[in-house]
Amino acid sequence: MPLINVRKRKHELRARFKRFRAECPPELKKSLDKRLFERFVSLEEYLAADVLFAYISQPIECDTSAIITDALEKGKRVAVPKCHKTSNEMDFYFIKSYDDLSPGKYGILEPVPERCEKAVDFSRGLCLVPGLSFDLQGYRLGFGKGYYDRFLSDFGGTTVGICYSKCTMGELPRGTFDRAVDIVLTEKFSNRTGG
């Protein structure tokens, strides 16, 4: 598929899945997020992990707050991203609570570097990966900034993409730099892809 068609198709799909999420009734979203949480914390990879790389969710995304709280309560080390203002790269910092966060780029809560230890070892751990949509091979449709594709290219641990089942597809258009996750998890099923 020519690159321009991939870009165009991704743009169309982003609009579709953003619309679905924006129109999802709050009670339904709450129920979906609760089931996602229950399935995620039951994963053997999560139970075995001592380090969780997570993201601070926005209202349109699958809610990660319960997952982060659970991980902290279980004594896992939790690192969340801080995006660079001048590039599409991010660093991860370990947090001890939500008090270690403040609004950063795009208004998203990010770690305060002066209060947090910067993560430098990406050879292991479990990474929770955001996406508007995932396909059954583990490829994702993100928000189009490329932050996670860059990060995942060097990550050596296990990756889990969480998504609502209505936002999954058999196959998504993909580009050269797109990276697949190892596990796609929805409120209904999990699919081990081999990343």
Side-chain angles (χ1 to χ4, degrees), residues 9-168:
R9 182 68 179 136
K10 282 186 172 185
H11 180 75
E12 292 165 352
L13 288 169
R14 278 190 189 100
R16 172 179 149 193
F17 291 122
K18 281 182 182 178
R19 190 169 50 253
F20 167 80
R21 288 167 180 241
E23 293 171 357
C24 184
E27 283 307 309
L28 175 57
K29 184 180 188 309
K30 191 174 177 182
S31 170
L32 294 172
D33 287 333
K34 182 175 184 288
R35 283 187 273 160
L36 269 170
F37 164 76
E38 290 165 353
R39 292 182 63 81
F40 183 81
V41 298
S42 298
L43 282 174
E44 60 188 66
E45 290 85 355
Y46 175 71
L47 295 170
D50 57 351
V51 177
L52 176 68
F53 295 91
Y55 65 94
I56 305 296
S57 54
Q58 296 303 290
I60 199 171
E61 295 177 304
C62 299
D63 187 13
T64 59
S65 60
I67 292 171
I68 290 169
T69 300
D70 184 79
L72 290 169
E73 287 174 353
K74 287 182 174 154
K76 297 179 190 293
R77 299 193 76 202
V78 177
V80 297
K82 178 169 183 62
C83 298
H84 291 269
K85 288 188 181 351
T86 56
S87 69
N88 286 354
E89 294 182 356
M90 59 187 178
D91 291 317
F92 277 79
Y93 290 84
F94 291 105
I95 62 167
K96 291 185 170 58
S97 75
Y98 273 79
D99 292 337
D100 290 335
L101 306 173
S102 69
K105 194 170 183 181
Y106 309 113
I108 297 169
L109 287 176
E110 293 185 336
V112 179
E114 296 75 26
R115 281 191 237 156
C116 306
E117 176 192 347
K118 186 176 178 179
V120 293
D121 181 3
F122 301 105
S123 64
R124 62 186 190 88
L126 184 66
C127 183
L128 185 58
V129 181
L132 283 167
S133 175
F134 285 87
D135 69 18
L136 300 181
Q137 292 77 46
Y139 287 92
R140 62 188 279 275
L141 180 69
F143 287 84
K145 305 287 186 207
Y147 285 99
Y148 270 86
D149 292 318
R150 284 178 185 80
F151 172 73
L152 293 176
S153 67
D154 294 323
F155 184 70
T158 303
T159 53
V160 181
I162 61 171
C163 189
Y164 304 126
S165 59
K166 288 204 172 178
C167 293
T168 59

